[in-house]
Every structure is written in C-alpha cells, then in structure tokens.
C-alpha cells in the first residue's frame, strides 16, 4: 500500500464518520401530537340562541394552544360569553379560552360558549377546534 494514500484514506473515513454523526436521526414513529375532541350544541329560541362547546383532552399529556372557530350570520349579535373571549371578523367567529381553560390536563375538559340573537334567525354553525370539526351534541 502506498504510504501517501493512507493519510488520504484515513481523512476520507474521518470525514464520512463526521457526516454520519452530524446527520439527524432517522424518523421514527413518535407519539402523535396531543389532540382534543369537541362537541357543540346550539340551543335555539328564535330569535335567540345559546352555543355551548365541550372540549375534552383524552390524551395522557396536557394540551395548550387550542382555539374554537365557528360561522355566524352577518345579522347575528353576540351578547354574552363564558369560558373564553369571543371575537368576530365578518362571518367568522373565534373563541380563545380563558386563562383557566388555556391548558387542559389529561382527562380534563373545558366548557365554553356564547349567546346572542339573529334577525332573520340564523344560529351559529360550523364549529371547529384547531381546524377539526366538532361533533354535534344533544346534551
């Protein structure tokens, strides 16, 4: 073996080993991100309504950073809310949880909602939690 090529081969092996050490670990089947589920119920008494949404954490980890969205007719008003702050932009509404519901512990739940009216009567619809539709509830 040529004694001048040995350092070159050794350098090549060291560079390859450094590249392997710096490479990110292969993707693994890690635990999925914690998820929440929700059920929504709209109680109507035309021209009024009451929307109540139950958000549940069925995972083993606390979940934070959740947000509820819904659709509301342009003529609808919101008169009161509970469990969070309701904001509106056109026909899109958002409920941001109150500080005491911002983190839902494993097995925990939060109830949020709001009331109002609409003439002509059109109650809120399309409730989603972080983009996932809420199931309808008939509590």
């Amino acid at each position: 073996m040529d004694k001048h090529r040995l350092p070159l081969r050794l350098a090549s092996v060291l560079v390859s080993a450094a590249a392997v050490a710096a490479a990110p670990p292969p993707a693994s089947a890690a635990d999925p991100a914690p998820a929440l589920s929700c059920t929504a119920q709209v109680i109507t008494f035309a021209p009024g309504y009451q929307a109540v949404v139950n958000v549940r954490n069925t995972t083993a980890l606390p979940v934070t950073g959740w947000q509820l969205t819904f659709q509301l007719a342009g003529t609808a008003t919101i008169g009161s809310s509970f469990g969070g702050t309701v904001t509106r932009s056109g026909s899109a509404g958002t409920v941001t949880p109150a500080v005491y519901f911002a983190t839902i512990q494993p097995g925990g739940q939060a109830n949020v909602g709001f009331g109002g009216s609409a003439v002509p009567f059109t109650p809120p619809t399309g409730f989603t939690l972080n983009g996932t539709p809420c199931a309808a509830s008939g509590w």
Side-chain angles (χ1 to χ4, degrees), residues 22-28:
S28 64

Side-chain angles (χ1 to χ4, degrees), residues 41-134:
Q41 180 182 32
V42 178
I43 303 162
T44 60
F45 42 94
Y49 62 84
Q50 177 81 32
V52 180
V53 181
N54 178 264
V55 179
R56 291 187 179 152
N57 179 0
T58 58
T59 72
L61 299 171
V63 177
T64 61
W66 61 274
Q67 192 173 64
L68 181 72
T69 59
F70 58 93
Q71 296 298 309
L72 196 59
T75 59
T77 62
I78 297 173
S80 63
S81 66
F82 60 91
T85 303
V86 180
T87 57
R88 179 179 180 165
S89 178
S91 63
T94 302
V95 177
T96 303
V99 66
Y100 50 87
F101 282 147
T103 299
I104 302 177
Q105 297 299 323
Q109 63 183 348
N111 289 309
V112 298
F114 56 92
S117 64
V119 177
F121 184 66
T122 309
T125 61
F127 290 88
T128 63
L129 178 65
N130 294 342
T132 301
C134 295

